[in-house]
Short mmCIF file of all heavy atoms in Angstrom, two decimals:
data_model
loop_
_atom_site.label_atom_id
_atom_site.label_comp_id
_atom_site.label_asym_id
_atom_site.label_seq_id
_atom_site.Cartn_x
_atom_site.Cartn_y
_atom_site.Cartn_z
N HIS A 22 102.62 89.79 116.94
CA HIS A 22 101.48 89.12 116.36
C HIS A 22 100.52 90.17 115.74
O HIS A 22 100.25 91.21 116.39
CB HIS A 22 100.71 88.33 117.41
CG HIS A 22 99.32 87.89 116.95
ND1 HIS A 22 98.15 88.48 117.42
CD2 HIS A 22 98.95 86.95 116.03
CE1 HIS A 22 97.11 87.90 116.86
NE2 HIS A 22 97.55 86.99 115.99
N SER A 23 100.00 89.86 114.58
CA SER A 23 98.94 90.67 113.99
C SER A 23 97.93 89.76 113.27
O SER A 23 98.34 88.77 112.66
CB SER A 23 99.50 91.68 112.98
OG SER A 23 98.43 92.37 112.29
N VAL A 24 96.66 90.10 113.41
CA VAL A 24 95.65 89.34 112.68
C VAL A 24 95.70 89.64 111.20
O VAL A 24 95.07 88.94 110.39
CB VAL A 24 94.24 89.62 113.24
CG1 VAL A 24 94.10 89.11 114.66
CG2 VAL A 24 93.89 91.10 113.13
N GLY A 25 96.44 90.69 110.80
CA GLY A 25 96.63 90.96 109.39
C GLY A 25 95.39 91.52 108.69
O GLY A 25 95.14 91.21 107.53
N ALA A 26 94.61 92.33 109.44
CA ALA A 26 93.38 92.90 108.87
C ALA A 26 93.31 94.37 109.25
O ALA A 26 92.50 94.75 110.13
CB ALA A 26 92.15 92.11 109.41
N PRO A 27 94.07 95.21 108.59
CA PRO A 27 94.00 96.65 108.89
C PRO A 27 92.63 97.23 108.56
O PRO A 27 91.91 96.69 107.73
CB PRO A 27 95.10 97.25 107.99
CG PRO A 27 95.25 96.26 106.87
CD PRO A 27 95.00 94.92 107.49
N LEU A 28 92.30 98.33 109.26
CA LEU A 28 90.99 98.96 109.04
C LEU A 28 91.18 100.33 108.39
O LEU A 28 91.98 101.15 108.86
CB LEU A 28 90.27 99.13 110.40
CG LEU A 28 89.83 97.88 111.11
CD1 LEU A 28 89.30 98.21 112.50
CD2 LEU A 28 88.76 97.12 110.29
N ALA A 29 90.43 100.53 107.32
CA ALA A 29 90.41 101.85 106.70
C ALA A 29 89.53 102.75 107.56
O ALA A 29 88.68 102.32 108.31
CB ALA A 29 89.87 101.73 105.29
N PRO A 30 89.74 104.09 107.43
CA PRO A 30 88.90 105.02 108.24
C PRO A 30 87.42 104.76 108.01
O PRO A 30 86.95 104.68 106.86
CB PRO A 30 89.32 106.39 107.67
CG PRO A 30 90.71 106.19 107.21
CD PRO A 30 90.75 104.79 106.64
N GLY A 31 86.67 104.57 109.12
CA GLY A 31 85.23 104.34 109.03
C GLY A 31 84.84 102.92 108.71
O GLY A 31 83.64 102.60 108.68
N GLU A 32 85.81 102.04 108.46
CA GLU A 32 85.50 100.64 108.12
C GLU A 32 85.08 99.88 109.33
O GLU A 32 85.72 99.96 110.40
CB GLU A 32 86.71 99.98 107.44
CG GLU A 32 86.45 98.54 107.00
CD GLU A 32 87.70 97.90 106.40
OE1 GLU A 32 88.75 98.53 106.38
OE2 GLU A 32 87.58 96.73 105.97
N ALA A 33 84.02 99.04 109.22
CA ALA A 33 83.55 98.20 110.31
C ALA A 33 84.51 97.03 110.52
O ALA A 33 85.00 96.45 109.55
CB ALA A 33 82.13 97.70 110.05
N ASP A 34 84.72 96.66 111.75
CA ASP A 34 85.59 95.54 112.08
C ASP A 34 84.86 94.23 112.00
O ASP A 34 83.66 94.13 112.19
CB ASP A 34 86.14 95.71 113.50
CG ASP A 34 87.39 94.86 113.75
OD1 ASP A 34 87.84 94.16 112.81
OD2 ASP A 34 87.89 94.87 114.89
N SER A 35 85.62 93.15 111.65
CA SER A 35 85.05 91.80 111.66
C SER A 35 85.03 91.33 113.10
O SER A 35 85.86 91.72 113.93
CB SER A 35 85.90 90.88 110.82
OG SER A 35 85.64 89.52 111.09
N THR A 36 84.06 90.45 113.46
CA THR A 36 84.04 89.91 114.79
C THR A 36 85.23 88.98 115.05
O THR A 36 85.62 88.76 116.20
CB THR A 36 82.73 89.15 115.03
OG1 THR A 36 82.56 88.16 114.04
CG2 THR A 36 81.55 90.10 115.00
N TRP A 37 85.76 88.37 113.96
CA TRP A 37 86.99 87.56 114.12
C TRP A 37 87.90 87.90 112.94
O TRP A 37 87.92 87.22 111.93
CB TRP A 37 86.68 86.05 114.15
CG TRP A 37 87.91 85.24 114.43
CD1 TRP A 37 88.83 84.84 113.55
CD2 TRP A 37 88.30 84.72 115.70
NE1 TRP A 37 89.84 84.11 114.16
CE2 TRP A 37 89.52 84.01 115.49
CE3 TRP A 37 87.76 84.76 116.97
CZ2 TRP A 37 90.19 83.37 116.53
CZ3 TRP A 37 88.46 84.13 118.02
CH2 TRP A 37 89.64 83.42 117.78
N PRO A 38 88.69 88.97 113.07
CA PRO A 38 89.51 89.36 111.95
C PRO A 38 90.67 88.34 111.77
O PRO A 38 91.24 87.85 112.74
CB PRO A 38 90.06 90.72 112.37
CG PRO A 38 89.97 90.71 113.87
CD PRO A 38 88.78 89.87 114.19
N CYS A 39 90.99 88.06 110.51
CA CYS A 39 92.14 87.21 110.21
C CYS A 39 92.49 87.46 108.74
O CYS A 39 91.86 88.28 108.07
CB CYS A 39 91.87 85.75 110.48
SG CYS A 39 90.57 85.01 109.47
N ASN A 40 93.50 86.79 108.27
CA ASN A 40 93.98 86.97 106.89
C ASN A 40 94.13 85.61 106.26
O ASN A 40 94.48 84.62 106.92
CB ASN A 40 95.33 87.72 106.92
CG ASN A 40 95.72 88.26 105.56
OD1 ASN A 40 95.98 87.52 104.63
ND2 ASN A 40 95.80 89.57 105.46
N SER A 41 93.83 85.55 104.95
CA SER A 41 93.98 84.25 104.28
C SER A 41 95.45 83.80 104.21
O SER A 41 95.73 82.59 104.13
CB SER A 41 93.39 84.33 102.87
OG SER A 41 94.07 85.32 102.10
N GLU A 42 96.38 84.76 104.27
CA GLU A 42 97.79 84.42 104.27
C GLU A 42 98.29 84.39 105.71
O GLU A 42 98.08 85.32 106.46
CB GLU A 42 98.57 85.47 103.49
CG GLU A 42 100.00 85.06 103.16
CD GLU A 42 100.64 85.87 102.04
OE1 GLU A 42 99.99 86.86 101.59
OE2 GLU A 42 101.77 85.54 101.63
N LYS A 43 98.92 83.29 106.08
CA LYS A 43 99.30 83.08 107.48
C LYS A 43 100.78 82.66 107.58
O LYS A 43 101.21 81.80 106.80
CB LYS A 43 98.41 82.07 108.16
CG LYS A 43 96.93 82.50 108.28
CD LYS A 43 96.06 81.43 108.88
CE LYS A 43 94.63 81.93 109.13
NZ LYS A 43 93.92 82.37 107.94
N TYR A 44 101.48 83.23 108.54
CA TYR A 44 102.87 82.82 108.82
C TYR A 44 103.07 82.79 110.33
O TYR A 44 102.70 83.76 111.03
CB TYR A 44 103.84 83.82 108.20
CG TYR A 44 103.99 83.73 106.71
CD1 TYR A 44 103.23 84.55 105.87
CD2 TYR A 44 104.90 82.84 106.12
CE1 TYR A 44 103.37 84.51 104.49
CE2 TYR A 44 105.04 82.77 104.75
CZ TYR A 44 104.29 83.61 103.93
OH TYR A 44 104.42 83.52 102.58
N ILE A 45 103.64 81.71 110.83
CA ILE A 45 104.05 81.63 112.26
C ILE A 45 105.54 81.33 112.20
O ILE A 45 105.99 80.22 111.89
CB ILE A 45 103.31 80.49 112.98
CG1 ILE A 45 101.81 80.43 112.58
CG2 ILE A 45 103.48 80.64 114.49
CD1 ILE A 45 101.02 81.65 112.89
N CYS A 46 106.35 82.32 112.49
CA CYS A 46 107.78 82.25 112.23
C CYS A 46 108.62 82.44 113.51
O CYS A 46 108.37 83.35 114.27
CB CYS A 46 108.20 83.34 111.22
SG CYS A 46 107.23 83.24 109.68
N HIS A 47 109.60 81.58 113.64
CA HIS A 47 110.48 81.56 114.81
C HIS A 47 111.92 81.80 114.37
O HIS A 47 112.39 81.12 113.47
CB HIS A 47 110.36 80.22 115.54
CG HIS A 47 108.96 79.83 115.84
ND1 HIS A 47 108.08 79.35 114.88
CD2 HIS A 47 108.26 79.83 116.99
CE1 HIS A 47 106.91 79.09 115.43
NE2 HIS A 47 106.98 79.39 116.71
N PHE A 48 112.58 82.71 115.06
CA PHE A 48 113.95 83.05 114.76
C PHE A 48 114.83 82.68 115.96
O PHE A 48 114.96 83.47 116.90
CB PHE A 48 114.07 84.53 114.42
CG PHE A 48 113.30 84.96 113.19
CD1 PHE A 48 111.93 85.25 113.29
CD2 PHE A 48 113.89 85.03 111.98
CE1 PHE A 48 111.20 85.61 112.16
CE2 PHE A 48 113.17 85.39 110.82
CZ PHE A 48 111.83 85.69 110.91
#
């Protein structure tokens, strides 16, 4: 699982990181 919101050096984090593109995949 990943929230899909990488952080650049020195970048402030979001209190609830997420991504507009979402996939929940089962193999």
Side-chain angles (χ1 to χ4, degrees):
H22 166 254
S23 173
V24 295
L28 292 173
E32 181 182 3
D34 197 4
S35 165
T36 55
W37 186 278
C39 63
N40 195 294
S41 59
E42 193 163 6
K43 296 176 174 61
Y44 287 94
I45 319 297
C46 304
H47 308 75
F48 298 83

